């Protein structure tokens, strides 16, 4: 059929690569793991050098002490330092309470100012809601305040309650009373700070 003579294919003399078995297959992975561990140890030694260990070997000329060394008990801080630390903590807690009290007093002053602005626009409902939030801010300020501030804050709360009661019945002069309370609240913050 075809004019070309067919030549038989010559068998290949190169061995075909077969799957590696055993240690020969895992050798690249083992080398990589060992290299990574060595690199990690070298990096640790370079980054975090160990201080040289000092060992004292007894010399023949040095006398050996035979007396028992006193045993070390638990390390305690001197009572004076502990007392000073407690006083510092108490001072910090007092300052924290003063800051929270001043924060709530300032919030109440701002809310009283908002209530006065709502009254100027004849929004009685908004003024009442704002005065209620101011009363709650004064409650929180009372909880954090020092003893000498509790009396004035209690008076502010009483005045806010009276204004809320009179708001719908006698609203005239309420804005003047609110401005006066706001001034007193701010003066209390200035005295406390």
């Amino acid at each position: 059929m075809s004019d070309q003579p067919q030549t038989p294919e010559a068998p290949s003399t190169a061995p075909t690569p077969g799957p590696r078995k055993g240690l020969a297959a895992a050798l690249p992975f083992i080398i990589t793991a060992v290299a990574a561990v060595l690199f990690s140890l070298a990096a640790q030694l370079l980054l975090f050098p160990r201080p040289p260990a000092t060992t004292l070997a007894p010399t023949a000329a040095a006398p050996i002490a035979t007396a028992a060394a006193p045993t070390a008990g638990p390390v305690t801080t001197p009572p004076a330092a502990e007392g000073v630390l407690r006083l510092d903590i108490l001072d910090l807690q007092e300052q924290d309470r003063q800051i929270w009290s001043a924060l709530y007093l300032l919030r109440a002053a701002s809310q009283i100012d908002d209530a006065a602005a709502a009254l100027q626009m004849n929004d009685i409902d908004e003024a009442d809601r704002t005065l209620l939030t101011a009363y709650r801010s004064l409650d929180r300020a009372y909880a954090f305040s020092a003893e000498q501030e509790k009396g004035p804050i209690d008076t502010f709360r009483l005045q806010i309650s009276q204004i809320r009661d009179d708001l719908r019945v006698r609203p005239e002069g309420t804005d003047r009373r609110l401005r006066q309370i706001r001034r007193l609240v701010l003066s209390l913050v200035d005295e406390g700070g």
Side-chain angles (χ1 to χ4, degrees):
M1 314 212 177
S2 87
D3 292 343
Q4 291 181 341
Q6 291 188 350
T7 58
E9 291 185 21
S12 162
T13 57
T16 58
R20 296 187 213 172
K21 298 201 179 197
L23 185 63
L27 191 59
F29 299 110
I30 294 172
I31 292 172
T32 304
V34 168
V37 169
L38 290 175
F39 179 74
S40 173
L41 290 174
Q44 287 178 8
L45 286 175
L46 288 174
L47 293 175
F48 308 109
R50 289 186 180 173
T54 57
T55 57
L56 299 176
T59 60
I64 299 176
T66 56
T71 58
V75 178
T76 59
T77 59
E82 190 173 302
V84 169
L85 184 61
R86 285 186 186 178
L87 287 176
D88 287 345
I89 290 172
L90 290 175
D91 287 343
L92 288 174
Q93 288 173 341
E94 179 61 28
Q95 288 175 1
D96 186 48
R97 281 192 296 272
Q98 288 174 354
I99 290 170
W100 280 107
S101 176
L103 175 76
Y104 285 122
L105 286 172
L106 289 172
R107 182 182 287 178
S110 174
Q111 291 161 342
I112 290 169
D113 194 37
D114 291 344
L119 276 177
Q120 297 235 338
M121 294 187 300
N122 290 327
D123 191 353
I124 303 292
D125 292 331
E126 179 63 23
D128 186 45
R129 278 191 297 271
T130 309
L131 286 174
L132 181 61
T133 57
Y135 186 88
R136 290 179 182 157
S137 295
L138 289 171
D139 277 345
R140 291 182 179 144
Y142 184 88
F144 287 106
S145 66
E147 285 301 317
Q148 65 268 19
E149 295 173 348
K150 289 189 185 290
I153 293 173
D154 201 32
T155 304
F156 300 150
R157 291 189 301 183
L158 180 63
Q159 290 174 348
I160 294 286
S161 292
Q162 289 171 349
I163 290 174
R164 285 190 66 220
D165 290 342
D166 294 342
L167 198 58
R168 297 189 193 283
V169 182
R170 291 184 300 265
E172 60 276 348
T174 303
D175 56 341
R176 180 187 52 78
R177 291 168 61 191
L178 287 175
R179 283 194 303 269
Q180 182 183 11
I181 293 171
R182 182 179 178 275
R183 256 193 324 270
L184 292 172
V185 168
L186 291 175
S187 69
L188 186 62
V189 171
D190 288 339
E191 289 174 13

